Amino acid sequence: MVRTAADTAATTDFFALHLCNLHLSVTEMNKSPDAQRMEKIVSLCKRRGFIFQSSEIYGGLSGCWDYGPLGVELKRNVKNYWWRVIVHERDDVVGMDGAILTHPEVLKASGHVEGFSDPMVDCRTCKARLRADQVIEKKSGRQCPNCGGRDLTEARPFNLMFQTQMGAAANESSIVYLRPETAQSIFVQFKNILEVSRKKLPFGIAQIGKAFRNEINPRNFTFRSREFEQMELEYFCRAEEGMKLLDYWLGERLKFYENIGIGRDGLHVKTVSDEERAFYSKGTYDIEFDFPFGRQELEGVAYRTDYDLLQHQKASGKSLDYFDEETKQRFVPHVVEPSAGVDRAVLALICEAYSEDEAPDEKGKMETRIVLRFHPRMAPIKCAVFPLLKNKEHLVAKAKEIVDLLRPHMNVFYDESGAIGRRYRRQDEIGTPFGVTVDFETLGEKDAALRDTVTLRDRDSMKQERILVKDLPGILVSRIT
Ligand code: GAP
């Protein structure tokens, strides 16, 4: 693995590591509340097991991240909800799961081998490798953002694809690529899926999976990674439907983000200009989100015309057309593509959810409370169950019974250690929307009428209601789906 100077500066020291990844200097951190907020988010992600630097104990692998026990739950919730609304709740979309290792001819035909590159500049002073758009342009000349040096190379294209060798022989003919997007396997399997699914236009093929790009400067935590996951839909249609479907899918995708808990105020639609758009696209929108480090792309929704299928048809010599039984015409369909990044959606959810408020501690003194206000649908753990005291056998037994009652319906967490207030705080910090406490009323020791009731605490309002244990699954399921 070639490491840049910026990468090398990242040590195992937590702050140095993360500040480096965030590309924020200590001075900036002191100045900007957004940068401080981002630092707290990165710190929380590590401290509570959402996201860790990959290979951290060896100094970190730049641009790669490992999701911990809570991060993996959050990520799954995002992917499952996407799959639910895009595939399961529709008649016109089917799924697939393609290989990551990709035949070079596929990526030659798609244009990636020739053109999937970023212009790159090297700083001869600090040896940093930079994307050309990161170089500081001053009247006096170009400057390195890393060291301020002015001895920079001319920009030259740097292909972002990772290549590897397949089989024992290492030569030109054994080259394969790690896919840079999931889309291509959908185009390549278009005919097979059309035949087996017997779908009529318009219809879509959806896929969730890993993609790899050798980004010159991975940064902003997981935002620009070298290994990441995409959720892509290729929605095939007739040429005359393309522009209308582009707007339709933009609307659907905005709804998706709102339904996972990202407020409409924080979402922005950018119409990609003719100059910025891929030459084959007739229209592209970027859905952007206000991250603490600025407004950045979450998802692209593009009308890619018939470009991809035509390219693969030409290169493979195999027909990728569609036969319209009504008009008896054969043609290559056009496609509209909503393409979302899983990791970016997860990061946006965490940034949106992070908040600090005030709550009383055990002695009634107000203290800062960190809360992740996840939508219950996305929260990694839906409900925590607490016996009031861990040394009271009957309270513990009842709490464990409740865990068993809820477990078939949701991800539940049992916690008996520490004061109840501390236990609430720990769950608030990871975004658990509901807390159930088993107390002496539950056992009917104080008032027989309260036997088999528990308190249900709401994370955001911190209010508690008393409800019957048997009603818990129904109440909670209605709030988390
Ligand atoms: N098939 C179209 C396509 O791949 P893209 O705009 O290059 O389009 C789509 O990528 C989405 O994938 C982006 O909007 C983003 O959410 C995610 N993505 C792209 N590059 C990424 C990276 N280096 N790290 C994390 N997510 C990335």
Side-chain angles (χ1 to χ4, degrees):
M1 181 75 198
V2 179
R3 288 170 67 85
T4 64
D7 298 331
T8 312
T11 68
T12 43
D13 171 86
F14 174 73
F15 285 102
L17 183 71
H18 290 293
L19 288 174
C20 178
N21 279 300
L22 288 165
H23 281 238
L24 300 169
S25 73
V26 173
T27 339
E28 277 175 311
M29 295 301 298
N30 291 337
K31 276 189 210 149
S32 148
D34 279 340
Q36 286 181 26
R37 181 180 165 80
M38 195 59 212
E39 194 210 350
K40 286 180 185 173
I41 288 169
V42 175
S43 163
L44 173 69
C45 281
K46 179 183 160 112
R47 180 159 42 82
R48 298 309 310 270
F50 283 90
I51 302 169
F52 308 118
Q53 174 84 13
S54 185
S55 309
E56 190 186 292
I57 61 167
Y58 291 100
L61 186 60
S62 179
C64 299
W65 301 92
D66 294 338
Y67 288 76
L70 294 175
V72 69
E73 295 293 337
L74 182 60
K75 211 178 185 202
R76 268 172 194 260
N77 291 343
V78 170
K79 291 190 281 184
N80 289 347
Y81 186 65
W82 187 91
W83 198 261
R84 175 176 138 192
V85 298
I86 297 287
V87 183
H88 289 174
E89 291 182 359
R90 302 183 67 107
D91 282 332
D92 57 350
V93 179
V94 292
M96 73 163 282
D97 186 19
I100 285 170
L101 293 174
T102 307
H103 197 301
E105 295 304 327
V106 170
L107 295 162
K108 274 185 200 151
S110 66
H112 285 86
V113 171
E114 190 60 34
F116 192 57
S117 57
D118 270 352
M120 175 205 74
V121 167
D122 283 330
C123 172
R124 293 194 185 96
T125 312
C126 71
K127 311 288 178 232
R129 177 156 287 178
L130 311 157
R131 279 209 330 266
D133 62 3
Q134 293 178 307
V135 170
I136 301 165
E137 299 282 352
K138 287 194 169 165
K139 272 197 186 137
S140 52
R142 299 177 308 152
Q143 203 177 0
C144 170
N146 207 36
C147 70
R150 291 176 181 275
D151 191 4
L152 304 174
T153 64
E154 286 308 309
R156 58 183 185 282
F158 173 77
N159 195 295
L160 299 181
M161 284 198 298
F162 283 99
Q163 74 175 46
T164 186
Q165 230 77 38
M166 187 173 263
N171 55 39
E172 222 4 60
S173 65
S174 62
I175 289 175
V176 291
Y177 294 98
L178 304 191
R179 64 183 175 192
E181 59 174 15
T182 64
Q184 293 308 320
S185 53
I186 299 183
F187 297 129
V188 170
Q189 293 298 350
F190 168 75
K191 198 73 173 193
N192 276 336
I193 294 177
L194 175 66
E195 277 168 17
V196 297
S197 66
R198 297 168 55 236
K199 293 284 175 202
K200 304 269 174 279
L201 288 181
F203 79 95
I205 304 174
Q207 179 168 206
I208 298 178
K210 291 268 188 178
F212 302 82
R213 296 182 189 177
N214 195 2
E215 298 285 357
I216 299 167
N217 285 116
R219 58 181 175 159
N220 287 331
F221 200 20
T222 58
F223 179 81
R224 193 180 299 285
S225 304
R226 288 182 168 135
E227 174 174 344
F228 55 97
E229 260 182 299
Q230 291 185 315
M231 306 180 281
E232 295 201 296
L233 169 66
E234 304 303 326
Y235 196 74
F236 298 98
C237 63
R238 293 175 173 79
E240 57 275 22
E241 299 167 312
M243 290 309 279
K244 218 168 127 200
L245 283 168
L246 176 68
D247 283 340
Y248 165 78
W249 278 108
L250 172 66
E252 289 299 295
R253 299 306 302 141
L254 288 169
K255 256 193 268 167
F256 169 86
Y257 289 109
E258 287 185 72
N259 288 342
I260 62 173
I262 298 183
R264 188 62 184 84
D265 291 353
L267 295 170
H268 305 275
V269 177
K270 176 177 137 188
T271 304
V272 180
S273 66
D274 292 354
E275 300 77 56
E276 283 179 283
R277 238 177 22 231
F279 69 91
Y280 49 79
S281 165
K282 280 204 174 153
T284 302
Y285 296 116
D286 282 349
I287 300 178
E288 299 182 323
F289 173 73
D290 289 324
F291 289 96
F293 45 83
R295 187 171 294 177
Q296 298 281 351
E297 179 187 327
L298 266 185
E299 166 160 357
V301 186
Y303 172 25
R304 293 174 73 125
T305 66
D306 52 1
Y307 173 78
D308 302 276
L309 287 183
L310 279 180
Q311 286 293 103
H312 288 301
Q313 179 169 271
K314 204 156 59 171
S316 67
K318 304 276 168 18
S319 156
L320 294 177
D321 64 9
Y322 174 85
F323 180 65
D324 187 326
E325 276 160 22
E326 275 172 33
T327 62
K328 307 291 176 213
Q329 281 179 326
R330 269 187 192 284
F331 57 94
V332 171
H334 282 225
V335 73
V336 172
E337 174 198 68
S339 170
V342 180
D343 309 78
R344 287 193 189 174
V346 166
L347 185 58
L349 283 179
I350 296 172
C351 292
E352 178 88 351
Y354 183 90
S355 72
E356 292 174 10
D357 62 11
E358 296 258 297
D361 67 10
E362 277 87 68
K363 295 184 183 112
K365 195 170 145 258
M366 295 307 271
E367 62 174 6
T368 303
R369 177 178 82 128
I370 295 171
V371 198
L372 286 182
R373 295 184 193 277
F374 288 131
H375 188 295
R377 185 178 278 145
M378 290 295 116
I381 295 168
K382 309 299 184 192
C383 182
V385 181
F386 316 109
L388 186 62
L389 298 169
K390 73 170 176 193
N391 55 3
K392 296 288 174 211
E393 199 187 312
H394 296 304
L395 291 177
V396 168
K398 192 73 193 169
K400 289 190 173 164
E401 238 176 66
I402 292 173
V403 169
D404 291 341
L405 177 74
L406 295 178
R407 194 155 267 161
H409 306 282
M410 67 197 73
N411 195 16
V412 200
F413 184 77
Y414 172 81
D415 187 6
E416 60 178 27
S417 66
I420 193 77
R422 286 278 129 224
R423 285 184 260 166
Y424 287 153
R425 286 299 169 278
R426 287 203 290 263
Q427 293 305 312
D428 292 341
E429 205 185 37
I430 59 168
T432 306
F434 306 106
V436 165
T437 305
V438 175
D439 52 20
F440 293 104
E441 277 86 347
T442 315
L443 305 178
E445 287 185 7
K446 291 197 172 160
D447 177 351
L450 294 180
R451 180 183 290 280
D452 281 332
T453 65
V454 284
T455 61
L456 178 62
R457 175 182 179 272
D458 177 84
R459 173 197 67 204
D460 297 339
S461 66
M462 293 186 271
K463 293 216 171 90
Q464 303 196 16
E465 51 182 326
R466 193 131 210 125
I467 60 167
L468 281 164
V469 171
K470 70 173 173 54
D471 292 341
L472 263 179
I475 290 173
L476 291 180
V477 166
S478 72
R479 294 182 193 177
I480 62 171
T481 40

